[in-house]
Amino acid sequence: QVQLVESGGGLVQPGGSLRLSCAASGSINSINVMGWYRQDPGNQRELVATISSDGITVYADFVKGRFTVSRDNAENTVSLQMTNLRPEDTAVYYCILVNLPGRPQQYWGQGAQVTVSS
């Protein structure tokens, strides 16, 4: 199994910054994708950013230029540095790991609440 544990959520003022981290443990394939999705009440879970084991990143349009995803392959961690936060960024942020190759095996963290409010 794979376990993902997020940390770093909290309350931040608009325009502020926050850093989320996710630590993975268990049966992690050398070829994988890690990253972040988010979900607020009434909305579907949506992609925020992902990064593959070879360093290829994918960002949602609404976070480009504000968020940066990074990973440490040796430690099996992924981070999301969030800057210029907006109230619309308020959501539960979920860490994801997808084991590859073959049929993707998808794992989720428990979620970290991010609240952007004055």
Side-chain angles (χ1 to χ4, degrees):
Q1 67 177 27
V2 172
Q3 183 180 18
L4 303 172
V5 180
E6 299 102 333
S7 61
L11 175 65
V12 64
Q13 293 182 333
S17 299
L18 205 62
R19 184 178 180 88
L20 301 178
S21 295
C22 174
S25 60
S27 300
I28 304 165
N29 291 355
S30 59
I31 301 174
N32 65 72
V33 175
M34 298 185 70
W36 301 89
Y37 281 64
R38 72 186 189 186
Q39 186 172 20
D40 58 13
N43 294 319
Q44 290 185 290
R45 192 170 298 186
E46 62 185 354
L47 170 77
V48 177
T50 61
I51 181 167
S52 67
S53 48
D54 59 353
I56 305 301
T57 58
V58 175
Y59 290 97
D61 184 68
F62 58 82
V63 304
K64 285 184 177 179
R66 299 191 298 126
F67 294 6
T68 301
V69 65
S70 61
R71 64 185 291 158
D72 185 323
N73 290 335
E75 296 184 354
N76 292 318
T77 60
V78 63
S79 297
L80 185 69
Q81 179 65 48
M82 302 181 289
T83 62
N84 296 319
L85 283 161
R86 307 164 179 166
E88 310 91 84
D89 295 319
T90 296
V92 178
Y93 285 70
Y94 295 92
C95 182
I96 184 171
L97 184 149
V98 182
N99 271 332
L100 298 169
R103 181 176 175 84
Q105 301 174 65
Q106 184 173 280
Y107 304 91
W108 294 97
Q110 82 285 353
Q113 177 68 49
V114 173
T115 302
V116 184
S117 179
S118 298

